[in-house]
Amino acid sequence: MFTRQSVPLRIPDVWRGGLLVAAILAVYAPRLNGPYLWDDRKFLLEQEFPRLPDAVEILFRSREYLQRWPEWPGYRPLNALTHIVDFRVWGDQRWGHRLTNVAIHSANSLLLWRLGLSLTGAGGQAAWAAAALFALHPVVTETIYCAYLRTDALAALAVLSVLLLWRTRPKTALAIYAAGLFMKETVGLAPLLLWLDPRNGGRAQGPPLRTTRPGSSPGSSYEVRGRLMPYGIVAGLYLLFRLGVVF
């Protein structure tokens, strides 16, 4: 039974986190200024939209944004916003756009480590090793060096944040979930992961919601359904909005 919910940050943990980020920088920094790859040319280098002075304003006029910068399969304005900010900060400097990807990946690695600690309740070695494997595995190279493909890393950032916070800070987690839907559509599957969260059977859960069935214990199916209900509402509203924007 899992009883650990939140993990206080200790001084040794700060050093472990710093080592994780340092390892990421050591591995990926040498080629940050390499040539643009794959979708970078079509959606970044050859596009005028992210360089426009009023790009942010256009971004939230959904139909005009899709005409200016078509993103198949849909509407991902918060992903596009990160590229607009990159062009304003870094210009056409390739290393700057990729440095943003490295920062997002580093945040994901740290979140995965903290999530592992909250799930296992162990001393932390296994959680840190898993995070290090994720941080340095070659499979993530694409989302580092192809600047435009950061949408997957942003989606992971949203999902990991929701998983880490949904019991201790439910309102913050729900807000992150709503924002994540505008980064990539797959964030919509996060409630399924919440339902499967092994901490649902533990005693050290957050306070029962008012929607909890009388007599049901924290971690019961009724309590979990109550916590997941707002996510279903947000997902439904997003779906209605998305259908109105794209079609």
Side-chain angles (χ1 to χ4, degrees):
M1 181 176 291
F2 295 95
T3 59
R4 187 168 184 169
Q5 180 181 355
S6 60
V7 182
L9 192 65
R10 303 183 298 272
I11 295 298
D13 288 343
V14 174
W15 287 106
R16 290 183 184 183
L19 180 60
L20 199 60
V21 173
I24 292 171
L25 290 173
V27 169
Y28 295 112
R31 293 193 57 81
L32 288 182
N33 205 34
Y36 279 115
L37 302 173
W38 306 311
D39 289 343
D40 285 350
R41 294 188 177 277
K42 179 179 179 181
F43 290 105
L44 294 179
L45 195 60
E46 299 173 1
Q47 289 294 326
E48 179 187 7
F49 169 73
R51 299 176 174 84
L52 294 175
D54 58 344
V56 175
E57 181 182 350
I58 294 173
L59 190 63
F60 295 99
R61 297 200 295 264
S62 55
R63 294 189 182 277
E64 183 177 356
Y65 154 64
L66 289 173
Q67 293 171 358
R68 294 288 192 100
W69 194 12
E71 279 191 295
W72 183 257
Y75 183 60
R76 301 170 180 173
L78 294 186
N79 174 48
L81 180 61
T82 66
H83 294 295
I84 293 171
V85 172
D86 271 355
F87 275 108
R88 295 191 177 181
V89 174
W90 310 114
D92 289 330
Q93 297 294 326
R94 298 183 294 270
W95 65 268
H97 292 257
R98 288 171 178 152
L99 186 61
T100 301
N101 287 8
V102 169
I104 296 170
H105 181 59
S106 298
N108 285 338
S109 302
L110 293 173
L111 286 172
L112 183 63
W113 170 42
R114 303 305 296 177
L115 180 61
L117 285 176
S118 69
L119 287 171
T120 63
Q125 293 85 353
W128 191 90
L133 179 63
F134 169 77
L136 305 177
H137 197 284
V139 75
V140 301
T141 302
E142 185 179 63
T143 60
I144 298 290
Y145 291 129
C146 186
Y148 181 73
L149 293 183
R150 75 172 54 140
T151 180
D152 292 322
L154 288 170
L157 183 68
V159 171
L160 288 169
S161 299
V162 170
L163 283 169
L164 192 60
L165 298 174
W166 80 292
R167 288 193 166 276
T168 57
R169 298 181 181 178
K171 293 181 179 179
T172 301
L174 185 63
I176 293 173
Y177 174 70
L181 292 171
F182 294 95
M183 297 175 183
K184 192 171 184 180
E185 302 77 13
T186 50
V187 174
L189 297 176
L192 177 60
L193 298 178
L194 301 182
W195 178 264
L196 298 173
D197 189 337
R199 293 170 296 180
N200 290 337
R203 292 191 301 270
Q205 308 296 337
L209 299 183
R210 293 180 181 178
T211 52
T212 300
R213 183 178 178 178
S216 63
S217 61
S220 69
S221 61
Y222 294 103
E223 197 261 352
V224 173
R225 288 173 191 172
R227 290 181 180 273
L228 291 180
M229 188 180 300
Y231 291 88
I233 294 172
V234 169
L237 292 173
Y238 167 77
L239 182 60
L240 291 174
F241 174 80
R242 175 67 181 272
L243 291 174
V245 167
V246 177
F247 296 105

